[in-house]
């Protein structure tokens, strides 16, 4: 249940209140530049508005730094108690101040939308009286209207070829060389990509077999349970199809991590998902459109980002994707000032090694991008065509845009059925390309600093000259090249296997014959040996080390037609060993 405090009022007040709650004012996303006088005038005009309150919490910087110090699922096993204690200290400090601030509102009308455990914030609905009390409180640093953010308008497009029956993303995957990372054994396995969007069609075939952690935050109470928050299976269920953008999150999730077990594979096909529904429903009039739509409040986005941060020590979270935004910014300083709460949440995640990837927007701007992509600690992504040209709709800024990724005519899962796909175009399609790429990087290593990953992406990318004729190039991401640049040596490729038998009078011996090829990326890296391992659960058991000129190994005395997992590595003259390329020898129906 949502927390409501309406002293001295009856049903009539609640009816008026609900009318005010469903009348939003849509502005540039994140614009929190209201003065105290402006904000008070707005609440007097409307009677009741949603706000985000920033509080003064003693030692908040030190307490947050302690939490970040114990971040990630690979934290030393001796440290989990310290991590839990640090989180609890921060939460208690914020809660104590929040309780004092709320206690001072006794006798006035307000509603709690969200409290926070890692950020010194409260999300409230306030009346003129309660707003005045908050503005007078010495424990309140800042109050800003809780603004709305739209899903960028995306384009449903026809494919460039007549083939429409097979859900392929192969062209985009090949452009960014994610397929070469797969060949090396890196598919995002064991990692999580967090998608903050309009929910997901969980039963879609593209998500079969995945772990999907579901969460919902919706100021208007549009979570599946009718409340403003929900956790667990079904929490991130997509909105009804009459709302524009209802299956946007399904399409985005498919690009990042989709895998139908057949021809459709997202960038990180073996990664899992944290899917957080952060949108509320609005009428056509409220959307300034011919159809109803979904829009997202900043407070819901911040709560979702905090949820991801809270899971940093339980799940291997590779990245966050936010394919949403609005407004126009040409200055990171101005953007950070106008979006301080989203920035705080993104800062915490980045300090914990988790990048937040955000689409730059689809207004064809030449000198500006949307919020929150413009936040200085976010990773902003624009869209390119499959011909490596900047897409006509993509927002660009020479300093604020970080990367390009394919974002035109991208075929991914949609909400029409459990097997429906469409080609969409937008920077919303480009951002999850990079978010999925981070899952590949983090499967390779959790220890490479985020800044080093970004440097690898920058120098390995394909330069794209902007349509805006600024003479500035930005890199179109090349996930495979970036991955290999992180490795001093790469594993072998094109691994194959078969089983044969060797019969004698006494017994029949079964033999798995395994073959591979040298990785072209090792041409100048003096590979002197290959190692063959058998995978037992998640452990590698060394079977053999063979000469660097040998590309075959026979594993003898194995079980007849037993599925087996192997790992292969390359070794150079200095004894440096590559990461593993995993191969599973499977058998079909008995001949």
């Amino acid at each position: 249940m949502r927390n409501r405090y309406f002293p001295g009022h009856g049903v009539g007040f609640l009816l008026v209140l609900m009318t005010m709650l469903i009348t939003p004012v849509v502005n540039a996303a994140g614009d929190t530049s209201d003065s105290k006088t402006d904000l008070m005038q707005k609440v007097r005009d409307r009677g009741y508005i949603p706000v985000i309150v920033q509080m003064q919490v003693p030692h908040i910087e030190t307490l947050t730094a302690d939490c970040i110090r114990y971040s990630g699922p690979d934290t030393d096993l001796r440290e989990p108690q310290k991590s839990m204690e640090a989180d609890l200290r921060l939460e208690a400090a914020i809660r104590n101040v929040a309780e004092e601030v709320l206690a001072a509102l006794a006798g006035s009308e307000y509603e709690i939308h969200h409290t926070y455990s890692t950020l010194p914030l409260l999300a409230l609905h306030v009346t003129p009286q309660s707003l005045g009390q908050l503005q007078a409180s010495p424990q309140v640093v800042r109050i800003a209207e809780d603004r709305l953010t739209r899903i960028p308008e995306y384009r449903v497009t026809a494919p460039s070829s007549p083939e429409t029956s097979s859900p392929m993303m192969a062209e985009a995957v090949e452009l960014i060389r994610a397929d070469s990372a797969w060949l090396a054994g890196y598919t995002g396995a064991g990692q999580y990509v967090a998608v903050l969007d309009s929910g997901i069609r969980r039963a879609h075939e593209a998500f079969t077999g995945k772990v999907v952690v579901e969460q919902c935050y919706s100021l208007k109470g549009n979570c599946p349970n009718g409340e403003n928050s929900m956790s667990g299976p079904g929490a991130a269920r997509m909105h009804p199809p009459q709302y524009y953008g209802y299956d946007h999150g399904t399409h985005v999730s498919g690009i990042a991590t989709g895998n139908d077990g057949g021809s459709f594979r997202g960038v990180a096909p073996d990664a899992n998902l944290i899917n957080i529904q952060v949108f509320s429903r609005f009428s056509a009039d409220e959307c300034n459109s011919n159809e109803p739509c979904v829009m997202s409040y900043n407070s819901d986005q911040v709560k979702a980002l905090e949820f991801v941060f809270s899971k940093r020590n339980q799940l291997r979270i590779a990245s966050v994707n936010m394919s949403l935004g609005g407004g126009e910014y040409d200055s990171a300083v101005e953007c950070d000032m106008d979006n301080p709460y989203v920035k705080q949440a993104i800062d915490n995640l980045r300090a914990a090694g988790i990048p937040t990837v955000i689409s730059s927007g689809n207004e064809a701007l030449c000198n500006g991008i949307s919020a929150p992509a413009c936040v200085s600690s976010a990773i902003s992504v624009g869209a390119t065509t499959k011909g490596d040209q900047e897409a006509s709709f993509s927002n660009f800024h020479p300093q604020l845009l970080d990367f390009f990724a394919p974002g035109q005519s991208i075929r991914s899962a949609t909400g029409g059925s459990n097997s429906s796909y469409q080609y969409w175009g937008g920077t919303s399609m480009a951002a999850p390309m990079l978010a999925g790429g981070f899952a590949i990087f983090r499967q390779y290593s959790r220890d490479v600093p985020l800044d080093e990953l970004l440097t690898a992406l920058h120098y390995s990318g394909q330069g794209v000259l902007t349509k805006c004729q600024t003479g500035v190039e930005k890199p179109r991401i090349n996930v495979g090249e970036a991955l290999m640049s992180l490795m001093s040596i790469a594993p072998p490729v094109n691994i194959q296997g078969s089983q044969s038998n060797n019969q004698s009078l006494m017994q029949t011996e079964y033999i798995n014959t395994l073959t591979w090829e040298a990785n072209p990326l090792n041409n100048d890296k003096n590979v002197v040996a290959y190692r063959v391992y058998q995978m037992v659960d998640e452990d590698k058991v060394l079977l053999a080390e063979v000469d660097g000129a040998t590309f075959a190994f026979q594993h003898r005395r194995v079980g007849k037609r037993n599925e087996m997992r192997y790992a292969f590595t390359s070794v150079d003259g200095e004894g440096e060993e590559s990461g593993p390329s995993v191969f599973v020898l499977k058998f079909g129906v008995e001949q």
Side-chain angles (χ1 to χ4, degrees):
M1 293 292 292
R2 286 189 279 177
N3 298 299
R4 291 185 173 89
Y5 298 86
F6 306 127
H9 293 277
V11 175
F13 176 81
L14 292 178
L15 291 175
V16 173
L17 172 60
M18 292 311 295
T19 300
M20 292 185 288
L21 285 180
I22 62 173
T23 308
V25 175
V26 181
N27 294 288
D31 178 8
T32 56
S33 57
D34 298 307
S35 68
K36 286 186 176 182
T37 303
D38 292 338
L39 195 62
M40 181 60 76
Q41 188 59 52
K42 286 182 180 181
V43 73
R44 285 173 177 159
D45 291 344
R46 295 182 228 162
Y48 204 76
I49 66 170
V51 296
I52 300 176
V53 179
Q54 182 179 352
M55 302 174 294
Q56 182 68 51
V57 176
H59 313 297
I60 185 73
E61 294 84 2
T62 301
L63 292 167
T64 302
D66 284 345
C67 289
I68 291 169
R69 184 181 307 163
Y70 307 107
S71 290
D74 298 322
T75 301
D76 191 313
L77 293 177
R78 296 168 296 180
E79 305 293 355
Q81 185 63 33
K82 291 182 179 179
S83 174
M84 184 183 301
E85 291 171 355
D87 286 1
L88 289 174
R89 285 194 297 270
L90 177 60
E91 182 177 1
I94 293 171
R95 183 177 60 248
N96 289 340
V97 176
E99 288 175 350
E100 293 178 10
V101 169
L102 293 174
L105 298 181
S108 62
E109 298 83 28
Y110 68 94
E111 179 182 358
I112 300 174
H113 176 208
H114 288 311
T115 59
Y116 299 83
S117 58
T118 62
L119 297 164
L121 305 175
L122 286 168
L124 308 173
H125 283 94
V126 294
T127 61
Q129 181 182 7
S130 51
L131 176 61
Q133 290 173 308
L134 287 170
Q135 289 177 337
S137 171
Q139 294 169 304
V140 171
V141 176
R142 183 175 184 172
I143 308 169
E145 185 177 3
D146 193 355
R147 305 287 187 164
L148 282 166
T149 302
R150 293 180 180 271
I151 286 176
E153 185 175 349
Y154 50 91
R155 305 178 181 198
V156 180
T157 59
S160 56
S161 70
E163 182 184 4
T164 59
S165 60
S166 181
M168 299 291 289
M169 233 184 62
E171 288 176 312
V173 162
E174 289 173 5
L175 270 177
I176 66 172
R177 292 201 64 189
D179 55 343
S180 68
W182 302 347
L183 281 173
Y186 299 103
T187 57
Q191 310 304 308
Y192 284 79
V193 176
V195 175
L196 279 56
D197 214 293
S198 62
I200 187 172
R201 187 180 184 106
R202 176 66 183 88
H204 198 287
E205 65 184 19
F207 310 114
T208 301
K210 290 191 181 296
V211 177
V212 181
V213 177
E214 296 185 63
Q215 194 75 8
C216 177
Y217 300 108
S218 169
L219 182 147
K220 291 183 66 178
N222 295 142
C223 292
N225 61 357
E227 299 295 330
N228 64 6
S229 65
M230 181 178 173
S231 301
R237 187 177 69 209
M238 64 185 187
H239 294 277
Q242 65 265 33
Y243 292 91
Y244 180 81
Y246 81 100
D247 58 349
H248 188 268
T250 299
H251 200 274
V252 167
S253 297
I255 293 170
T257 71
N259 187 351
D260 70 350
S263 58
F264 177 77
R265 303 182 84 189
V267 174
D270 291 332
N272 296 313
L273 277 167
I274 301 172
N275 204 284
I276 310 179
Q277 200 295 109
V278 293
F279 282 79
S280 295
R281 303 169 196 162
F282 295 87
S283 69
D285 287 343
E286 292 167 328
C287 299
N288 296 318
S289 174
N290 294 324
E291 59 184 327
C293 70
V294 294
M295 292 187 282
S296 176
Y297 283 95
N298 278 8
S299 61
D300 289 329
Q301 297 165 34
V302 173
K303 188 66 176 176
L305 291 167
E306 182 183 71
F307 175 82
V308 176
F309 183 79
S310 74
K311 296 296 182 182
R312 71 196 185 283
N313 291 328
Q314 291 88 50
L315 304 174
R316 296 175 183 267
I317 303 172
S319 60
V320 177
N321 189 90
M322 297 177 72
S323 289
L324 50 78
E328 176 182 346
Y329 285 89
D330 60 5
S331 163
V333 173
E334 181 183 353
C335 179
D336 289 350
M337 289 178 62
D338 282 358
N339 299 273
Y341 314 125
V342 174
K343 183 181 185 300
Q344 282 180 289
I346 292 174
D347 285 351
N348 285 353
L349 287 165
R350 183 156 180 161
I354 302 172
T356 302
V357 182
I358 309 179
S359 56
S360 68
N362 301 336
E363 290 76 36
L365 301 176
C366 277
N367 196 42
I369 65 175
S370 301
C374 55
V375 168
S376 59
S377 48
I379 312 299
S380 57
V381 183
T384 53
T385 69
K386 291 174 184 175
D388 265 343
Q389 296 179 328
E390 184 184 10
S392 60
F393 51 78
S394 185
N395 288 350
F396 174 82
H397 187 277
Q399 283 78 48
L400 299 184
L401 187 75
D402 295 309
F403 297 102
F404 282 117
Q408 188 173 66
S409 296
I410 305 298
R411 197 161 199 242
S412 185
T414 52
S417 73
N418 291 342
S419 58
S420 62
Y421 299 83
Q422 284 183 334
Y423 286 85
W424 289 8
T427 57
S428 288
M429 287 64 255
M433 295 276 177
L434 180 52
F438 279 115
I440 287 173
F441 299 147
R442 285 312 185 199
Q443 182 189 359
Y444 164 68
S445 175
R446 304 279 315 173
D447 297 326
V448 178
L450 178 56
D451 286 345
E452 187 173 333
L453 293 180
L454 295 173
T455 298
L457 280 163
H458 179 82
Y459 285 107
S460 64
Q462 171 67 44
V464 173
L465 189 65
T466 173
K467 65 180 184 296
C468 299
Q469 300 179 341
T470 61
V472 175
E473 283 190 347
K474 290 289 182 176
R476 189 266 297 143
I477 61 169
N478 188 323
V479 171
E481 288 289 345
L483 175 66
M484 297 309 171
S485 74
L486 296 171
M487 302 177 178
S488 58
I489 185 171
V493 296
N494 296 334
I495 301 164
Q496 299 183 46
S498 62
Q499 187 173 95
S500 60
N501 62 68
N502 181 22
Q503 294 183 336
S504 68
L505 292 175
M506 302 297 297
Q507 64 180 1
T508 299
E509 178 189 19
Y510 290 91
I511 303 168
N512 289 345
T513 299
L514 305 163
T515 63
W516 59 90
E517 296 177 6
N519 194 318
L521 294 169
N522 290 336
N523 286 347
D524 59 348
K525 294 185 178 177
N526 188 29
V527 172
V528 299
Y530 295 104
R531 290 176 184 162
V532 183
Y533 298 87
Q534 180 180 351
M535 299 294 293
V536 180
D537 295 325
E538 296 304 315
D539 296 324
K540 300 198 304 285
V541 178
L542 182 64
L543 296 177
E545 179 172 307
V546 301
D547 184 85
T550 301
F551 302 97
F553 170 72
Q554 288 189 327
H555 188 194
R556 307 179 71 97
R557 298 178 183 174
V558 297
K560 179 183 178 181
R561 302 181 68 79
N562 284 353
E563 181 177 302
M564 300 188 71
R565 296 173 67 226
Y566 296 95
F568 298 77
T569 63
S570 306
V571 182
D572 67 14
E574 303 297 321
E576 182 84 18
E577 184 176 16
S578 73
S581 183
V582 176
F583 171 75
V584 181
L585 180 57
K586 297 182 178 181
F587 299 92
V589 178
E590 188 78 45
Q591 299 293 320

